[in-house]
PDB file of all heavy atoms in Angstrom:
ATOM      1  N   ASP S 320      54.532  68.639 168.087  1.00 90.00           N
ATOM      2  CA  ASP S 320      53.352  68.345 168.915  1.00 90.00           C
ATOM      3  C   ASP S 320      53.048  69.613 169.705  1.00 90.00           C
ATOM      4  O   ASP S 320      53.803  69.972 170.584  1.00 90.00           O
ATOM      5  CB  ASP S 320      53.656  67.189 169.865  1.00 90.00           C
ATOM      6  CG  ASP S 320      52.456  66.831 170.740  1.00 90.00           C
ATOM      7  OD1 ASP S 320      51.405  67.336 170.526  1.00 90.00           O
ATOM      8  OD2 ASP S 320      52.650  66.043 171.649  1.00 90.00           O
ATOM      9  N   ARG S 321      51.883  70.230 169.447  1.00 89.00           N
ATOM     10  CA  ARG S 321      51.509  71.440 170.138  1.00 89.00           C
ATOM     11  C   ARG S 321      51.187  71.099 171.598  1.00 89.00           C
ATOM     12  O   ARG S 321      51.167  72.049 172.480  1.00 89.00           O
ATOM     13  CB  ARG S 321      50.304  72.130 169.445  1.00 89.00           C
ATOM     14  CG  ARG S 321      50.656  72.807 168.227  1.00 89.00           C
ATOM     15  CD  ARG S 321      49.447  73.528 167.621  1.00 89.00           C
ATOM     16  NE  ARG S 321      48.412  72.595 167.146  1.00 89.00           N
ATOM     17  CZ  ARG S 321      47.192  72.914 166.844  1.00 89.00           C
ATOM     18  NH1 ARG S 321      46.835  74.124 166.898  1.00 89.00           N
ATOM     19  NH2 ARG S 321      46.355  71.973 166.421  1.00 89.00           N
ATOM     20  N   LEU S 322      50.834  69.915 171.941  1.00 89.00           N
ATOM     21  CA  LEU S 322      50.448  69.590 173.273  1.00 89.00           C
ATOM     22  C   LEU S 322      51.600  68.818 174.051  1.00 89.00           C
ATOM     23  O   LEU S 322      51.387  68.021 174.894  1.00 89.00           O
ATOM     24  CB  LEU S 322      49.177  68.663 173.309  1.00 89.00           C
ATOM     25  CG  LEU S 322      47.955  69.227 172.593  1.00 89.00           C
ATOM     26  CD1 LEU S 322      46.805  68.280 172.590  1.00 89.00           C
ATOM     27  CD2 LEU S 322      47.515  70.540 173.298  1.00 89.00           C
ATOM     28  N   TYR S 323      52.837  69.108 173.619  1.00 90.00           N
ATOM     29  CA  TYR S 323      53.975  68.460 174.167  1.00 90.00           C
ATOM     30  C   TYR S 323      54.055  68.610 175.697  1.00 90.00           C
ATOM     31  O   TYR S 323      54.498  67.701 176.370  1.00 90.00           O
ATOM     32  CB  TYR S 323      55.262  69.039 173.531  1.00 90.00           C
ATOM     33  CG  TYR S 323      55.495  70.480 173.927  1.00 90.00           C
ATOM     34  CD1 TYR S 323      56.387  70.792 174.961  1.00 90.00           C
ATOM     35  CD2 TYR S 323      54.859  71.504 173.288  1.00 90.00           C
ATOM     36  CE1 TYR S 323      56.613  72.093 175.354  1.00 90.00           C
ATOM     37  CE2 TYR S 323      55.052  72.818 173.697  1.00 90.00           C
ATOM     38  CZ  TYR S 323      55.972  73.115 174.683  1.00 90.00           C
ATOM     39  OH  TYR S 323      56.104  74.392 175.092  1.00 90.00           O
ATOM     40  N   TYR S 324      53.620  69.781 176.204  1.00 90.00           N
ATOM     41  CA  TYR S 324      53.829  70.024 177.612  1.00 90.00           C
ATOM     42  C   TYR S 324      52.881  69.104 178.478  1.00 90.00           C
ATOM     43  O   TYR S 324      53.139  68.881 179.678  1.00 90.00           O
ATOM     44  CB  TYR S 324      53.438  71.472 177.926  1.00 90.00           C
ATOM     45  CG  TYR S 324      52.094  71.852 177.641  1.00 90.00           C
ATOM     46  CD1 TYR S 324      51.089  71.871 178.547  1.00 90.00           C
ATOM     47  CD2 TYR S 324      51.753  72.301 176.282  1.00 90.00           C
ATOM     48  CE1 TYR S 324      49.717  72.177 178.216  1.00 90.00           C
ATOM     49  CE2 TYR S 324      50.477  72.679 175.950  1.00 90.00           C
ATOM     50  CZ  TYR S 324      49.457  72.593 176.919  1.00 90.00           C
ATOM     51  OH  TYR S 324      48.167  72.927 176.577  1.00 90.00           O
ATOM     52  N   LEU S 325      51.845  68.498 177.882  1.00 89.00           N
ATOM     53  CA  LEU S 325      50.995  67.658 178.568  1.00 89.00           C
ATOM     54  C   LEU S 325      51.693  66.331 178.946  1.00 89.00           C
ATOM     55  O   LEU S 325      51.231  65.505 179.735  1.00 89.00           O
ATOM     56  CB  LEU S 325      49.671  67.336 177.804  1.00 89.00           C
ATOM     57  CG  LEU S 325      48.775  68.572 177.629  1.00 89.00           C
ATOM     58  CD1 LEU S 325      47.582  68.161 176.774  1.00 89.00           C
ATOM     59  CD2 LEU S 325      48.299  69.095 178.952  1.00 89.00           C
ATOM     60  N   ARG S 326      52.780  66.051 178.184  1.00 89.00           N
ATOM     61  CA  ARG S 326      53.545  64.813 178.470  1.00 89.00           C
ATOM     62  C   ARG S 326      54.472  64.984 179.662  1.00 89.00           C
ATOM     63  O   ARG S 326      55.089  64.029 180.088  1.00 89.00           O
ATOM     64  CB  ARG S 326      54.366  64.436 177.197  1.00 89.00           C
ATOM     65  CG  ARG S 326      53.662  64.579 175.916  1.00 89.00           C
ATOM     66  CD  ARG S 326      52.629  63.544 175.608  1.00 89.00           C
ATOM     67  NE  ARG S 326      52.057  63.716 174.302  1.00 89.00           N
ATOM     68  CZ  ARG S 326      50.817  64.180 174.095  1.00 89.00           C
ATOM     69  NH1 ARG S 326      50.028  64.511 175.160  1.00 89.00           N
ATOM     70  NH2 ARG S 326      50.329  64.365 172.881  1.00 89.00           N
ATOM     71  N   PHE S 327      54.621  66.226 180.127  1.00 90.00           N
ATOM     72  CA  PHE S 327      55.468  66.448 181.289  1.00 90.00           C
ATOM     73  C   PHE S 327      54.835  65.858 182.568  1.00 90.00           C
ATOM     74  O   PHE S 327      53.648  65.825 182.677  1.00 90.00           O
ATOM     75  CB  PHE S 327      55.696  67.957 181.508  1.00 90.00           C
ATOM     76  CG  PHE S 327      56.490  68.608 180.430  1.00 90.00           C
ATOM     77  CD1 PHE S 327      56.552  70.058 180.463  1.00 90.00           C
ATOM     78  CD2 PHE S 327      57.139  67.914 179.423  1.00 90.00           C
ATOM     79  CE1 PHE S 327      57.252  70.705 179.499  1.00 90.00           C
ATOM     80  CE2 PHE S 327      57.863  68.644 178.474  1.00 90.00           C
ATOM     81  CZ  PHE S 327      57.862  69.972 178.497  1.00 90.00           C
ATOM     82  N   PRO S 328      55.647  65.410 183.534  1.00 92.00           N
ATOM     83  CA  PRO S 328      55.110  65.035 184.804  1.00 92.00           C
ATOM     84  C   PRO S 328      54.484  66.271 185.460  1.00 92.00           C
ATOM     85  O   PRO S 328      54.864  67.399 185.164  1.00 92.00           O
ATOM     86  CB  PRO S 328      56.313  64.601 185.581  1.00 92.00           C
ATOM     87  CG  PRO S 328      57.417  64.186 184.546  1.00 92.00           C
ATOM     88  CD  PRO S 328      57.168  65.103 183.389  1.00 92.00           C
ATOM     89  N   VAL S 329      53.515  66.030 186.391  1.00 92.00           N
ATOM     90  CA  VAL S 329      52.779  67.096 186.950  1.00 92.00           C
ATOM     91  C   VAL S 329      53.735  68.076 187.658  1.00 92.00           C
ATOM     92  O   VAL S 329      53.584  69.282 187.594  1.00 92.00           O
ATOM     93  CB  VAL S 329      51.742  66.579 187.954  1.00 92.00           C
ATOM     94  CG1 VAL S 329      51.089  67.699 188.719  1.00 92.00           C
ATOM     95  CG2 VAL S 329      50.701  65.756 187.162  1.00 92.00           C
ATOM     96  N   TRP S 330      54.752  67.582 188.348  1.00 93.00           N
ATOM     97  CA  TRP S 330      55.676  68.407 189.147  1.00 93.00           C
ATOM     98  C   TRP S 330      56.443  69.351 188.198  1.00 93.00           C
ATOM     99  O   TRP S 330      56.692  70.521 188.519  1.00 93.00           O
ATOM    100  CB  TRP S 330      56.547  67.578 190.058  1.00 93.00           C
ATOM    101  CG  TRP S 330      57.505  66.752 189.251  1.00 93.00           C
ATOM    102  CD1 TRP S 330      57.474  65.418 188.883  1.00 93.00           C
ATOM    103  CD2 TRP S 330      58.827  67.114 188.785  1.00 93.00           C
ATOM    104  NE1 TRP S 330      58.477  64.999 188.237  1.00 93.00           N
ATOM    105  CE2 TRP S 330      59.408  66.055 188.128  1.00 93.00           C
ATOM    106  CE3 TRP S 330      59.565  68.296 188.892  1.00 93.00           C
ATOM    107  CZ2 TRP S 330      60.655  66.104 187.523  1.00 93.00           C
ATOM    108  CZ3 TRP S 330      60.833  68.365 188.317  1.00 93.00           C
ATOM    109  CH2 TRP S 330      61.346  67.304 187.633  1.00 93.00           C
ATOM    110  N   SER S 331      56.907  68.792 187.068  1.00 93.00           N
ATOM    111  CA  SER S 331      57.710  69.622 186.132  1.00 93.00           C
ATOM    112  C   SER S 331      56.841  70.674 185.407  1.00 93.00           C
ATOM    113  O   SER S 331      57.340  71.771 185.164  1.00 93.00           O
ATOM    114  CB  SER S 331      58.474  68.727 185.170  1.00 93.00           C
ATOM    115  OG  SER S 331      57.546  68.029 184.338  1.00 93.00           O
ATOM    116  N   ARG S 332      55.605  70.263 185.132  1.00 93.00           N
ATOM    117  CA  ARG S 332      54.666  71.250 184.513  1.00 93.00           C
ATOM    118  C   ARG S 332      54.411  72.401 185.558  1.00 93.00           C
ATOM    119  O   ARG S 332      54.364  73.593 185.132  1.00 93.00           O
ATOM    120  CB  ARG S 332      53.394  70.647 184.084  1.00 93.00           C
ATOM    121  CG  ARG S 332      52.716  71.308 182.974  1.00 93.00           C
ATOM    122  CD  ARG S 332      51.355  70.737 182.643  1.00 93.00           C
ATOM    123  NE  ARG S 332      51.310  69.332 182.605  1.00 93.00           N
ATOM    124  CZ  ARG S 332      50.170  68.617 182.709  1.00 93.00           C
ATOM    125  NH1 ARG S 332      49.032  69.202 182.784  1.00 93.00           N
ATOM    126  NH2 ARG S 332      50.249  67.310 182.716  1.00 93.00           N
ATOM    127  N   GLY S 333      54.214  72.030 186.763  1.00 94.00           N
ATOM    128  CA  GLY S 333      53.957  73.052 187.797  1.00 94.00           C
ATOM    129  C   GLY S 333      55.201  73.995 187.969  1.00 94.00           C
ATOM    130  O   GLY S 333      55.065  75.195 188.134  1.00 94.00           O
ATOM    131  N   ALA S 334      56.386  73.371 187.897  1.00 95.00           N
ATOM    132  CA  ALA S 334      57.665  74.147 188.044  1.00 95.00           C
ATOM    133  C   ALA S 334      57.796  75.115 186.800  1.00 95.00           C
ATOM    134  O   ALA S 334      58.197  76.260 186.965  1.00 95.00           O
ATOM    135  CB  ALA S 334      58.840  73.278 188.081  1.00 95.00           C
ATOM    136  N   LEU S 335      57.392  74.692 185.655  1.00 95.00           N
ATOM    137  CA  LEU S 335      57.443  75.437 184.396  1.00 95.00           C
ATOM    138  C   LEU S 335      56.491  76.697 184.585  1.00 95.00           C
ATOM    139  O   LEU S 335      56.876  77.821 184.252  1.00 95.00           O
ATOM    140  CB  LEU S 335      57.041  74.651 183.212  1.00 95.00           C
ATOM    141  CG  LEU S 335      56.772  75.399 181.951  1.00 95.00           C
ATOM    142  CD1 LEU S 335      58.117  76.114 181.467  1.00 95.00           C
ATOM    143  CD2 LEU S 335      56.247  74.484 180.795  1.00 95.00           C
ATOM    144  N   TYR S 336      55.283  76.416 185.043  1.00 95.00           N
ATOM    145  CA  TYR S 336      54.311  77.533 185.154  1.00 95.00           C
ATOM    146  C   TYR S 336      54.739  78.480 186.219  1.00 95.00           C
ATOM    147  O   TYR S 336      54.647  79.721 186.071  1.00 95.00           O
ATOM    148  CB  TYR S 336      52.917  76.984 185.474  1.00 95.00           C
ATOM    149  CG  TYR S 336      52.291  76.196 184.361  1.00 95.00           C
ATOM    150  CD1 TYR S 336      51.355  75.197 184.667  1.00 95.00           C
ATOM    151  CD2 TYR S 336      52.662  76.444 183.062  1.00 95.00           C
ATOM    152  CE1 TYR S 336      50.774  74.458 183.598  1.00 95.00           C
ATOM    153  CE2 TYR S 336      52.022  75.766 182.044  1.00 95.00           C
ATOM    154  CZ  TYR S 336      51.147  74.777 182.286  1.00 95.00           C
ATOM    155  OH  TYR S 336      50.525  74.052 181.246  1.00 95.00           O
ATOM    156  N   ALA S 337      55.317  77.996 187.339  1.00 96.00           N
ATOM    157  CA  ALA S 337      55.881  78.892 188.347  1.00 96.00           C
ATOM    158  C   ALA S 337      56.993  79.747 187.862  1.00 96.00           C
ATOM    159  O   ALA S 337      57.082  80.967 188.132  1.00 96.00           O
ATOM    160  CB  ALA S 337      56.383  78.033 189.589  1.00 96.00           C
ATOM    161  N   ALA S 338      57.894  79.169 187.041  1.00 95.00           N
ATOM    162  CA  ALA S 338      58.973  79.956 186.478  1.00 95.00           C
ATOM    163  C   ALA S 338      58.471  81.030 185.509  1.00 95.00           C
ATOM    164  O   ALA S 338      59.005  82.174 185.574  1.00 95.00           O
ATOM    165  CB  ALA S 338      59.905  79.014 185.764  1.00 95.00           C
ATOM    166  N   MET S 339      57.385  80.686 184.687  1.00 96.00           N
ATOM    167  CA  MET S 339      56.884  81.637 183.794  1.00 96.00           C
ATOM    168  C   MET S 339      56.260  82.804 184.560  1.00 96.00           C
ATOM    169  O   MET S 339      56.411  84.003 184.182  1.00 96.00           O
ATOM    170  CB  MET S 339      55.976  80.933 182.826  1.00 96.00           C
ATOM    171  CG  MET S 339      56.596  80.012 181.837  1.00 96.00           C
ATOM    172  SD  MET S 339      55.411  78.995 180.960  1.00 96.00           S
ATOM    173  CE  MET S 339      54.655  80.184 179.825  1.00 96.00           C
ATOM    174  N   VAL S 340      55.492  82.508 185.550  1.00 96.00           N
ATOM    175  CA  VAL S 340      54.849  83.535 186.377  1.00 96.00           C
ATOM    176  C   VAL S 340      55.920  84.411 187.011  1.00 96.00           C
ATOM    177  O   VAL S 340      55.774  85.652 187.107  1.00 96.00           O
ATOM    178  CB  VAL S 340      53.934  82.914 187.414  1.00 96.00           C
ATOM    179  CG1 VAL S 340      53.444  83.974 188.426  1.00 96.00           C
ATOM    180  CG2 VAL S 340      52.704  82.252 186.787  1.00 96.00           C
ATOM    181  N   PHE S 341      56.954  83.817 187.539  1.00 95.00           N
ATOM    182  CA  PHE S 341      58.029  84.545 188.176  1.00 95.00           C
ATOM    183  C   PHE S 341      58.662  85.520 187.210  1.00 95.00           C
ATOM    184  O   PHE S 341      58.896  86.713 187.539  1.00 95.00           O
ATOM    185  CB  PHE S 341      59.060  83.569 188.780  1.00 95.00           C
ATOM    186  CG  PHE S 341      60.291  84.215 189.298  1.00 95.00           C
ATOM    187  CD1 PHE S 341      60.180  84.946 190.522  1.00 95.00           C
ATOM    188  CD2 PHE S 341      61.538  84.197 188.715  1.00 95.00           C
ATOM    189  CE1 PHE S 341      61.328  85.603 191.119  1.00 95.00           C
ATOM    190  CE2 PHE S 341      62.612  84.822 189.201  1.00 95.00           C
ATOM    191  CZ  PHE S 341      62.523  85.562 190.437  1.00 95.00           C
ATOM    192  N   VAL S 342      58.921  85.082 185.995  1.00 95.00           N
ATOM    193  CA  VAL S 342      59.614  85.905 185.015  1.00 95.00           C
ATOM    194  C   VAL S 342      58.662  86.982 184.550  1.00 95.00           C
ATOM    195  O   VAL S 342      59.051  88.161 184.271  1.00 95.00           O
ATOM    196  CB  VAL S 342      60.064  85.046 183.813  1.00 95.00           C
ATOM    197  CG1 VAL S 342      60.747  85.990 182.713  1.00 95.00           C
ATOM    198  CG2 VAL S 342      61.116  84.066 184.220  1.00 95.00           C
TER     199      VAL S 342
END
Side-chain angles (χ1 to χ4, degrees):
D320 180 11
R321 285 183 293 170
L322 303 179
Y323 67 97
Y324 61 93
L325 295 178
R326 318 287 182 252
F327 294 171
V329 173
W330 67 267
S331 61
R332 206 185 319 162
L335 170 63
Y336 293 152
M339 291 169 72
V340 170
F341 175 71
V342 178

